[in-house]
Amino acid sequence: MSLSEEQKQDRHKARQQKVKENVDKKIANAQKEKGLLLVITGNGKGKSTSGFGTIARAVGHGKQCAVAQFIKGTWDNGERNLLEKLGVEFQVMATGFTWETQNKTTDTEAAQAVWQECKRMLKDDSLDVILFDELTYMVSYGYIELDEVVEALLNRPKMQSVIITGRGAHRALIDIADTVSEVKNIKHAFESGVKALKGVDW
């Protein structure tokens, strides 16, 4: 027996009411206030883009933000071009990808120099949101000690939020994070021989 339009509407309304009740209950229970640790990992494109999107959002709300970039090279950076004009501090490793330098000593020194700035940021309660772009690689390669990273993150100001991006996030970072997202690679233009596009890919 087919349902009348009125019955369909009633069923739809009942389902939506249940959804609303569940959402309202979650909102009512989420009353704790603290800065968040977000980890954006996985093999797909969009991790840094997501991190920078959050920084842009925070700046739009008048928050004080800072960025530390590991791995990325010395080429033109669209996010930096925009966000520095809005008062966002950038600390950039700027030695390029490790497969280009192929010098672990130089890479370690460069990573450590930026990490010292990161530790300063993590003690600065005037900074509301910080992005550590591609930090996961530095931990994986052993350029920065995992225990030191975890300790600094756990001891940051209470209301300070931190975003960490990069493939292969260490389990310890995932464990202490409040929110973890994994970006999955389904298809990438580069794999089909398409050149990276300025303003979209970088």
Side-chain angles (χ1 to χ4, degrees):
M1 186 177 88
S2 61
L3 297 174
S4 68
E5 281 304 314
E6 186 177 352
Q7 288 173 318
K8 289 179 182 178
Q9 288 292 340
D10 287 343
R11 287 194 174 186
H12 175 75
K13 186 175 181 181
R15 282 195 302 269
Q16 292 306 104
Q17 181 59 34
K18 285 183 179 180
V19 171
K20 182 181 184 305
E21 288 171 1
N22 287 333
V23 171
D24 288 345
K25 185 177 180 180
K26 288 178 181 179
I27 292 172
N29 289 335
Q31 295 302 313
K32 188 188 299 183
E33 289 191 29
K34 65 166 201 161
L36 300 176
L37 175 59
L38 300 91
V39 172
I40 307 167
T41 191
N43 295 329
K45 172 179 165 48
K47 298 179 290 295
S48 296
T49 305
S50 176
F52 276 111
T54 304
I55 292 293
R57 172 186 289 162
V59 170
H61 284 296
K63 302 293 186 182
Q64 189 66 38
C65 301
V67 174
Q69 281 191 290
F70 299 91
I71 299 282
K72 296 295 195 293
T74 56
W75 59 83
D76 195 23
N77 181 317
E79 296 93 343
R80 186 176 184 181
N81 292 345
L82 173 68
L83 293 169
E84 274 192 332
K85 294 174 185 174
L86 300 173
V88 177
E89 174 190 354
F90 271 72
Q91 296 291 336
V92 183
M93 187 168 155
T95 55
F97 292 100
T98 53
W99 55 83
E100 290 174 345
T101 62
Q102 298 181 9
N103 187 321
K104 185 169 184 178
T105 300
T106 302
D107 286 342
T108 302
E109 290 173 356
Q112 280 294 323
V114 175
W115 174 239
Q116 299 314 307
E117 298 296 336
C118 293
K119 289 197 291 184
R120 170 185 56 78
M121 293 174 184
L122 290 169
K123 293 177 182 177
D124 186 349
D125 61 9
S126 73
L127 289 175
D128 300 301
V129 187
I130 305 170
L131 170 61
F132 294 152
D133 188 36
E134 315 281 18
L135 175 64
T136 60
Y137 294 97
M138 301 300 99
V139 172
S140 297
Y141 297 160
Y143 298 166
I144 300 172
E145 288 295 326
L146 173 64
D147 291 345
E148 191 176 341
V149 173
V150 170
E151 182 181 1
L153 290 168
L154 291 177
N155 288 293
R156 72 188 194 279
K158 181 185 175 184
M159 294 307 297
Q160 186 182 81
S161 293
V162 178
I163 309 150
I164 295 173
T165 68
R167 295 185 181 199
H170 194 283
R171 185 78 232 175
L173 295 176
I174 290 173
D175 286 345
I176 65 170
D178 297 289
T179 300
V180 179
S181 296
E182 183 175 11
V183 182
K184 184 178 179 180
N185 184 39
I186 304 297
K187 189 176 184 181
H188 198 298
F190 181 71
E191 294 167 355
S192 301
V194 179
K195 187 176 181 179
L197 184 63
K198 184 175 183 178
V200 176
D201 287 307
W202 58 280

